Amino acid sequence: MVTIGVFDGVHRGHAQLIKAATTAAAERGLPSVLMTFDPHPAEVVRPGTHPPQLTTLTRRAELAEQMGIDVFCVMPFTPALASRSPKDFAHSILVETLHAADVVVGDNFTFGHKAAGNVEKLREFGTRFGFEVQAISLFGEHAVTFSSTYIRSCVAAGDVTSAAEALGRPHRVEGVVVRGDGRGRELGFPTANVAPPMYAAIPADGVYACWFTVIGPGAKVGKVKHGKRYQAAVSVGTNPTFSGRARTVEAFVLDTEADLYGQHVAVDFVERIRPMEHFDSVDDLIKAIADDVDRTRVILARDAE
């Protein structure tokens, strides 16, 4: 049983596809396979247009496994693959390579050179080559389609609450903690400066209530336990009070002062507290940060219930 797509975000719409694939696999006594692509097809077809990435490949694999997928298959998306005709894609990839008995896709699925193939074509090839096709509608509540494009727009606007609703969990930004200018420590709020990977979908500038987790394998970070969620007030932006230019993701992890430099971490965005602001004095900034911390505790206590 094969389900196909980019699956960036592994959102609630994708969950519907995965559920259909795992259910069909169980009924037939066959393994379920999720096939995704890397890099994003848009970057190959139109270089320079790679969309902001909602999930890393590793995260996609973790989520797919949690949803019951047996095999996570990454297909390198190359110009050669992009140039294949829909028929060639169906026969060489689905039949000869994956031996698909049942293929599950979204009802807007396209494939092959210049996206010439669609669900109707896929069903024709299924009849010819011996596999069945399920096309699943990705509509959610209020006729909103669960899509990665919609979620990216929410994240870009700082609406991480709506993004979480469509994802089925908070939007996550991963990265390695690097050294910053140390200004947070001087203000009494030492921060972990998270450097995300290329193309990561970063929320709009502002301050957010987040969960912070050290996810690097075998991490030893003193009082911070690997895999445990910690509350964090996270600032995204250029730090206008100090005329900053570089856009950063800085997490003030509550109730710990562990040295996090070099650790691979995850920041899960729960709710936006306020937009990024310029303050007339350092004292005003410190007061605002203290208020941010208080609101973070309230928001995350409610989220944890």
Side-chain angles (χ1 to χ4, degrees), residues 116-183:
N118 54 22
V119 171
E120 183 179 355
K121 281 285 187 183
L122 190 62
R123 286 200 169 107
E124 290 179 11
F125 297 138
T127 300
R128 182 184 303 182
F129 299 137
F131 59 83
E132 296 183 9
V133 175
Q134 294 187 57
I136 308 296
S137 172
L138 304 185
F139 280 107
E141 294 86 350
H142 312 298
V144 174
T145 302
F146 292 130
S147 73
S148 298
T149 299
Y150 167 73
I151 296 168
R152 289 188 194 102
S153 69
C154 292
V155 171
D159 186 2
V160 295
T161 303
S162 294
E165 182 179 356
L167 284 166
R169 63 187 182 280
H171 172 60
R172 169 172 290 192
V173 173
E174 297 182 20
V176 175
V177 177
V178 298
R179 295 193 179 276
D181 54 23
R183 188 170 286 118

Side-chain angles (χ1 to χ4, degrees), residues 147-229:
S147 73
S148 298
T149 299
Y150 167 73
I151 296 168
R152 289 188 194 102
S153 69
C154 292
V155 171
D159 186 2
V160 295
T161 303
S162 294
E165 182 179 356
L167 284 166
R169 63 187 182 280
H171 172 60
R172 169 172 290 192
V173 173
E174 297 182 20
V176 175
V177 177
V178 298
R179 295 193 179 276
D181 54 23
R183 188 170 286 118
R185 185 171 299 278
E186 294 173 0
L187 298 175
F189 300 93
T191 58
N193 192 341
V194 181
M198 185 180 296
Y199 304 125
I202 308 299
D205 290 2
V207 178
Y208 297 82
C210 300
W211 293 110
F212 182 97
T213 311
V214 176
I215 60 176
K220 295 180 179 178
V221 289
K223 297 179 180 179
V224 174
K225 295 181 180 179
H226 173 262
K228 179 180 177 180
R229 294 194 311 176

Side-chain angles (χ1 to χ4, degrees), residues 74-95:
V74 180
M75 181 68 64
F77 198 90
T78 62
L81 181 63
S83 68
R84 290 191 180 211
S85 69
K87 178 182 177 182
D88 185 30
F89 178 90
H91 187 263
S92 63
I93 303 300
L94 299 181
V95 178

Side-chain angles (χ1 to χ4, degrees), residues 42-302:
E43 182 63 22
V44 175
V45 177
R46 298 178 297 278
T49 64
H50 196 302
Q53 191 173 52
L54 297 171
T55 47
T56 64
L57 274 178
T58 299
R59 179 64 170 160
R60 271 179 258 176
E62 291 172 350
L63 293 167
E65 182 180 19
Q66 291 171 15
M67 293 178 182
I69 288 292
D70 296 310
V71 179
F72 184 79
C73 175
V74 180
M75 181 68 64
F77 198 90
T78 62
L81 181 63
S83 68
R84 290 191 180 211
S85 69
K87 178 182 177 182
D88 185 30
F89 178 90
H91 187 263
S92 63
I93 303 300
L94 299 181
V95 178
E96 292 186 338
T97 301
L98 297 178
H99 307 290
D102 198 332
V103 178
V104 181
V105 295
D107 59 2
N108 61 348
F109 178 69
T110 59
F111 63 104
H113 184 54
K114 294 186 178 180
N118 54 22
V119 171
E120 183 179 355
K121 281 285 187 183
L122 190 62
R123 286 200 169 107
E124 290 179 11
F125 297 138
T127 300
R128 182 184 303 182
F129 299 137
F131 59 83
E132 296 183 9
V133 175
Q134 294 187 57
I136 308 296
S137 172
L138 304 185
F139 280 107
E141 294 86 350
H142 312 298
V144 174
T145 302
F146 292 130
S147 73
S148 298
T149 299
Y150 167 73
I151 296 168
R152 289 188 194 102
S153 69
C154 292
V155 171
D159 186 2
V160 295
T161 303
S162 294
E165 182 179 356
L167 284 166
R169 63 187 182 280
H171 172 60
R172 169 172 290 192
V173 173
E174 297 182 20
V176 175
V177 177
V178 298
R179 295 193 179 276
D181 54 23
R183 188 170 286 118
R185 185 171 299 278
E186 294 173 0
L187 298 175
F189 300 93
T191 58
N193 192 341
V194 181
M198 185 180 296
Y199 304 125
I202 308 299
D205 290 2
V207 178
Y208 297 82
C210 300
W211 293 110
F212 182 97
T213 311
V214 176
I215 60 176
K220 295 180 179 178
V221 289
K223 297 179 180 179
V224 174
K225 295 181 180 179
H226 173 262
K228 179 180 177 180
R229 294 194 311 176
Y230 290 86
Q231 295 183 348
V234 177
S235 171
V236 177
T238 59
N239 203 341
T241 299
F242 296 97
S243 301
R245 294 184 179 181
R247 193 164 185 255
T248 60
V249 178
E250 299 184 56
F252 173 57
V253 185
L254 277 56
D255 306 319
T256 181
E257 294 183 1
D259 183 355
L260 295 166
Y261 292 123
Q263 299 299 328
H264 185 194
V265 303
V267 179
D268 294 321
F269 288 77
V270 175
E271 187 173 317
R272 193 183 196 201
I273 295 173
R274 62 174 173 86
M276 185 59 63
E277 300 177 55
H278 175 276
F279 293 94
D280 294 330
S281 71
V282 172
D283 287 343
D284 288 343
L285 173 59
I286 291 174
K287 182 179 182 303
I289 296 174
D291 290 341
D292 296 336
V293 170
D294 290 341
R295 292 186 63 186
T296 293
R297 292 189 188 279
V298 172
I299 291 167
L300 296 183
R302 183 175 64 241

